[in-house]
Amino acid sequence: MTFKAEYIWIDGTEPTAKLRSKTRILADGAELPVWGFDGSSTNQADGGSSDRVLKPVFTCPDPIRGGGNVLVLCEVLDTDMTPHASNTRAALVEVAERYADQESWFGIEQEYTFFKEGRPLGFPLGGFPAPQGGYYCGVGADEVFGRDVVEKHLDLCLEAGLAISGINAEVMPGQWEFQVGPAGPVEVSDHMWIARWLLYRIAEDFDIAATLDAKPVKGDWNGAGAHTNFSTKAMREGYDPIITACEALAVNAEEHVKHYGAGIEERLTGHHETAPWNKFSYGVSDRGASVRIPWQVEVEKKGYIEDRRPNANVDPYLVTRLIVDTCCTALEKAGQV
């Protein structure tokens, strides 16, 4: 007897990496071996020395194939078994372990847009739909497009055991969101990459493409983000650490924005529920701020913050590493751990 293992990895395409995968047949009970691939076809090597290594790091049931088949998320290594330059997970693991005692939690809100025949799902041929207003969390065939794909994706994520915690229709037609978390920085990132792969894969069956483009339609339409909610144990127990974290993000704002996804200047304009990409701000219940402190957090004097800057196309390994490094360093220095 055998089972199918779908090896999934993040490639070296710039400025936004792509997901790749291939199938390996293994004997029942076999451990998942390291595997290889042609890095010259994934922007991770040149043709003269193209071998790259896939190291399994996270496994879950394959909800599409079912049975005993599995999805296998991998880190990419060079042949000397060190992390490849495109491997952002390895650096996150190091930072997460360094600050593990602060018990960081994340929840990432992944927005995305369906496209069919070159235009967003729900956009009429050669024109535009009604202005934004009724689409967000809407209902009805005149305002909601792609729900069958979204519901199937949700079911698959649950069957895979991912920490998916919700879905909703977004502000633009054909635009949706799913949330992953709360979970630790490595777990939430691993689960997000698998959830993205499942989204792309199941959309194939409906002849629809899902894109994480940060500004899929120019003009008076919302972009697509990956709002990132964050807390540490100290933040969940008191308000002063929350302010410390916000102030630390202010000091490191430029470094964060640089790694928060391609096309961030097009999305973070100061309009459409965003703050300008080059001006940092934080505030209570303010969706026009770079970082929002939810109203109930101010009332209860404890909780979490929402970094609203990351693009939909952000690398979750990068955003979680940067936030943990910046905030946990400041909290440690302030003695708020």
Side-chain angles (χ1 to χ4, degrees):
M1 297 293 291
T2 60
F3 69 96
K4 301 169 187 172
E6 189 71 16
Y7 277 57
I8 299 167
W9 73 98
I10 298 104
D11 78 0
T13 301
E14 295 180 348
T16 302
K18 296 176 179 287
L19 280 164
R20 309 280 184 144
S21 70
K22 60 177 182 172
T23 307
R24 182 156 185 173
I25 310 302
L26 296 168
D28 279 355
E31 292 192 10
L32 297 168
V34 296
W35 202 11
F37 69 97
D38 172 16
S40 68
S41 297
T42 64
N43 302 301
Q44 289 166 303
D46 59 50
S49 181
S50 64
D51 288 335
R52 292 294 176 262
V53 177
L54 295 175
K55 173 190 172 185
V57 292
F58 172 72
T59 306
C60 65
D62 184 338
I64 295 176
R65 287 171 168 155
N69 302 305
V70 294
L71 303 179
V72 185
L73 184 64
C74 301
E75 284 190 19
V76 176
L77 309 179
D78 289 323
T79 52
D80 63 0
M81 304 307 284
T82 60
H84 184 266
S86 64
N87 179 348
T88 54
R89 186 182 187 274
L92 167 61
V93 170
E94 181 181 332
V95 170
E97 290 176 351
R98 187 189 314 155
Y99 293 108
D101 60 340
Q102 294 198 40
E103 299 180 25
S104 296
W105 289 358
F106 284 89
I108 301 179
E109 306 169 28
Q110 177 68 73
E111 296 178 346
Y112 59 94
T113 310
F114 286 133
F115 270 72
K116 189 174 179 67
E117 298 176 350
R119 63 185 185 278
L121 198 64
F123 273 53
L125 183 64
F128 291 90
Q132 295 181 162
Y135 306 112
Y136 173 71
C137 295
V139 63
D142 57 337
E143 293 186 327
V144 174
F145 309 91
R147 192 186 296 276
D148 48 354
V149 193
V150 172
E151 292 287 348
K152 183 64 176 177
H153 175 250
L154 174 61
D155 289 344
L156 293 174
C157 288
L158 291 170
E159 291 173 30
L162 304 182
I164 192 165
S165 49
I167 57 172
N168 60 268
E170 266 302 333
V171 176
M172 191 180 78
Q175 194 176 72
W176 290 82
E177 173 184 300
F178 65 87
Q179 302 93 36
V180 173
V186 177
E187 180 184 16
V188 79
S189 302
D190 286 346
H191 287 211
M192 179 59 74
W193 277 115
I194 293 292
R196 286 176 173 180
W197 186 90
L198 285 169
L199 176 66
Y200 300 146
R201 172 58 188 83
I202 197 60
E204 287 180 20
D205 293 349
F206 293 84
D207 195 27
I208 290 172
T211 175
L212 304 186
D213 192 315
K215 189 71 174 178
V217 180
K218 312 306 179 194
D220 194 20
W221 300 93
N222 275 35
H227 301 152
T228 302
N229 301 280
F230 169 74
S231 70
T232 64
K233 185 175 185 290
M235 294 166 68
R236 295 189 291 274
E237 295 176 349
Y239 199 69
D240 287 346
I242 288 171
I243 299 303
T244 298
C246 290
E247 292 290 345
L249 290 170
V251 171
N252 292 278
E254 184 177 347
E255 176 69 10
H256 281 242
V257 166
K258 186 166 63 177
H259 297 288
Y260 273 10
I264 203 157
E265 298 90 346
E266 294 182 1
R267 174 175 156 265
L268 298 186
T269 62
H271 304 288
H272 304 110
E273 301 181 297
T274 70
W277 67 272
N278 57 354
K279 294 181 180 179
F280 182 88
S281 60
Y282 69 90
V284 175
S285 197
D286 185 359
R287 282 180 164 75
S290 307
V291 172
R292 179 179 69 94
I293 301 173
W295 68 270
Q296 72 271 28
V297 171
E298 184 187 44
V299 170
E300 297 173 2
K301 300 303 178 185
K302 61 182 180 180
Y304 68 98
I305 58 176
E306 177 196 38
D307 192 335
R308 296 181 57 80
R309 295 170 295 169
N311 277 350
N313 56 16
V314 74
D315 178 347
Y317 295 135
L318 280 177
V319 69
T320 55
R321 176 177 63 81
L322 286 166
I323 291 176
V324 168
D325 204 3
T326 291
C327 295
C328 290
T329 298
L331 290 167
E332 186 176 77
K333 186 176 181 180
Q336 297 171 331
V337 296

